[in-house]
Amino acid sequence: MSPPCPCGRAAPLADCCGHYLAGAPAPDAESLMRSRYTAYVLEDEV
Ligand SMILES: [Zn+2]
């Protein structure tokens, strides 16, 4: 079980912003902004 993505979507990180954090192109501006927020949150937790 993976925790939900920090960006606010119900999908697990690996199925949501994880793709974009790993280098995949975000399909739209919203996904890009969410992935940046997720990166910020993850960095904050380390
Ligand atoms: Zn996400």
Side-chain angles (χ1 to χ4, degrees), residues 5 7 16-17 38:
C5 188
C7 76
C16 186
C17 298
T38 298

Side-chain angles (χ1 to χ4, degrees), residues 4-27:
C5 188
C7 76
R9 282 174 169 160
L13 174 62
D15 287 339
C16 186
C17 298
H19 295 297
Y20 319 130
L21 295 179

Side-chain angles (χ1 to χ4, degrees), residues 5 7 11-12 14 19 22-24 27 33 35 41-43 45-46:
C5 188
C7 76
H19 295 297
M33 288 175 63
S35 69
V41 170
L42 293 180
E43 224 169 75
E45 284 180 351
V46 171

